Amino acid sequence: MSSSRQCTMKREKFVKLVEESLDALPARFRKRMQNVSVLVEDLPSGQLAQGDLGNAGVVDSNEGGVLVLGVFEGVPTTKKSAFNLPGGPDRIVLYQKNIEAV
């Protein structure tokens, strides 16, 4: 019988760690992240409704489930054109509960 231990931290501390990680990226990556918002959410929308990830997004390693840790929403730099209309910043969304589960 396996036991899963859930590690959780307050959102403010998690966001601070994300900010520190972004600041620690090499300059060549940071400069490519202009006009990109990084957001933190608990879980991907619909994850709990699907019921495929057990208790609040925490997956037992024996279940073999797949956790989405984050997503990029926007147009990749390699696909952008000077002819594109600006549509606001691209977004990276990180899913705190899934990251903590890993």
Side-chain angles (χ1 to χ4, degrees), residues 61-78:
S61 60
N62 295 329
E63 291 179 27
V66 176
L67 290 176
V68 177
L69 304 180
V71 294
F72 173 79
E73 299 171 348
V75 179
T77 303
T78 56

Side-chain angles (χ1 to χ4, degrees), residues 5-70:
R5 182 175 175 234
Q6 185 174 357
C7 175
T8 60
M9 68 176 64
K10 295 210 179 283
R11 177 63 54 93
E12 295 80 22
K13 181 173 181 177
F14 189 88
V15 168
K16 183 165 177 48
L17 290 172
V18 169
E19 289 170 353
E20 290 172 0
S21 297
L22 291 171
D23 290 343
L25 287 173
R28 69 177 193 264
F29 296 122
R30 281 196 321 267
K31 74 179 182 180
R32 292 182 175 263
M33 290 185 63
Q34 294 177 5
N35 204 28
V36 176
S37 298
V38 179
L39 308 170
V40 176
E41 295 179 4
D42 283 338
L43 296 166
S45 63
Q47 180 172 304
L48 288 177
Q50 294 173 2
D52 60 326
L53 294 179
N55 183 9
V58 177
V59 175
D60 185 3
S61 60
N62 295 329
E63 291 179 27
V66 176
L67 290 176
V68 177
L69 304 180

